[in-house]
Amino acid sequence: RGERLVTGLAACQRPDGYLSAFPTELFDRLRNHQRVWAPFYTYHKIMAGLLDSYTLAGNAQALRMARRMADWTHAYAAPISDAEWRKMLETEFGGMSDTLYELSQVTGEPSYAELAHRFDHERILAPLAAGRDELTNVHGNTNVPKVLGAARRYEMTGDDASRAAAEYFWREITGRRSYATGGSTSDESWRGTPGNLANTLGAYTQETCVSYNMLKLTRRLFTWSPDAPLADYYERTYFNGILPTQHPADGEKLYYLPLATGYWKQFGT
């Protein structure tokens, strides 16, 4: 099935490498600071899937396609100044840094790592590296992938600040911004002050996307230091925040896991 998906997407990829479900006009809007929702966020999902198709299933065509997508991104970003680029990073861009760093590791091509570094969002990462929690009312799943990118950067370059950011973020989220279930965020953001989550319980707690990406981060940190708290958090979040979000009878899914008193799961297609 994966091979069929890759073949179908290959028929859609443009000669310049662009591959998405929407026209490049949305990237024009992003560059011009016009209203647009997250073109790089969705672009990343396709590129990450193609890279997974290669690393997990050995599909060489998928790797070529992912490289061409990265090449289009490089051509798009190249003429944009760093100052303008920093403004553009305020729009959600998913795991572009993480995937581009991985693509560089897989291919041995340093230009992909250089491109990934442009997606390292210092407004978020610098306070984390300094041990400061500036996450109150910050959107959760926009930013966990940025920390995944920092973790990958540390693995590739040994950059101490990137490791510090990843480790502090993990401790802060799991220790003071997560519920007993291991999940995090309320209505997609980190509400309230760290360690005081009672008044954030509601119908829209524990977005599944955040749990998924926090588990990815936990796996990376466990390879650095296989400590019990990492494994305990992984087990708790996996059993409370991933497995119960798919209905066993028909496969319907949850977006949120409600933690409000007396609330119930809302499964849907």
Side-chain angles (χ1 to χ4, degrees):
R1 185 178 183 186
E3 290 177 357
R4 291 199 301 274
L5 286 168
V6 170
T7 301
L9 287 170
C12 302
Q13 190 167 29
R14 294 192 334 194
D16 63 359
Y18 184 79
L19 176 59
S20 189
F22 48 80
T24 53
E25 176 197 351
L26 270 68
F27 283 97
D28 296 337
R29 291 188 213 168
L30 179 65
R31 184 176 57 242
N32 296 328
H33 311 299
Q34 297 171 335
R35 183 171 179 173
V36 66
W37 180 78
F40 270 124
Y41 175 86
T42 48
Y43 193 82
H44 158 255
K45 298 297 171 283
I46 300 174
M47 186 161 63
L50 290 170
L51 187 54
D52 282 348
S53 295
Y54 172 74
T55 58
L56 301 177
N59 191 313
Q61 181 184 27
L63 178 62
R64 292 193 296 271
M65 293 168 65
R67 295 190 66 158
R68 292 175 61 206
M69 290 186 73
D71 292 341
W72 180 89
T73 305
H74 185 273
Y76 169 83
I80 301 174
S81 70
D82 288 341
E84 288 298 306
W85 188 257
R86 282 193 294 272
K87 295 178 185 177
M88 293 165 60
L89 292 184
E90 297 300 323
T91 299
E92 187 174 9
F93 54 84
M96 287 295 295
S97 58
D98 182 34
T99 292
L100 286 167
Y101 278 128
E102 183 181 7
L103 185 62
S104 180
Q105 287 179 305
V106 167
T107 62
E109 175 52 63
S111 66
Y112 296 142
E114 294 168 6
L115 179 60
H117 190 40
R118 292 204 74 183
F119 284 95
D120 287 330
H121 194 187
E122 286 304 307
R123 187 181 69 79
I124 296 296
L125 297 176
L128 296 174
R132 298 197 310 272
D133 182 329
E134 298 181 2
L135 300 171
T136 298
N137 294 325
V138 170
H139 190 267
N141 198 54
T142 295
N143 292 290
V144 184
K146 299 173 186 178
V147 181
L148 281 166
R152 186 87 66 170
R153 176 172 171 77
Y154 164 71
E155 292 176 348
M156 291 187 66
T157 68
D159 180 62
D160 290 334
S162 295
R163 175 167 184 161
E167 292 181 328
Y168 173 78
F169 177 83
W170 187 90
R171 291 194 304 270
E172 189 70 1
I173 297 301
T174 63
R176 301 210 298 162
R177 289 192 177 274
S178 292
Y179 305 106
T181 55
S184 187
T185 69
S186 179
D187 196 16
E188 297 194 358
S189 296
W190 289 297
R191 308 294 183 188
T193 56
N196 184 19
L197 304 181
N199 62 355
T200 71
L201 296 174
Y204 306 112
T205 42
Q206 192 166 326
E207 182 190 357
T208 307
C209 309
V210 175
S211 298
Y212 167 79
N213 276 315
M214 283 300 297
L215 291 181
K216 287 185 71 173
L217 179 62
T218 303
R219 290 201 298 273
R220 304 214 71 79
L221 268 58
F222 192 80
T223 66
W224 304 351
S225 179
D227 298 325
L230 292 160
D232 289 342
Y233 169 80
Y234 196 98
E235 180 182 54
R236 183 166 63 254
T237 306
Y238 181 64
F239 277 91
N240 289 310
I242 298 298
L243 292 182
T245 63
Q246 184 173 30
H247 199 289
D250 53 21
E252 288 193 349
K253 303 289 182 60
L254 288 176
Y255 186 87
Y256 295 112
L257 183 63
L259 297 178
T261 300
Y263 218 81
W264 56 91
K265 294 180 179 181
Q266 293 185 342
F267 289 96
T269 58

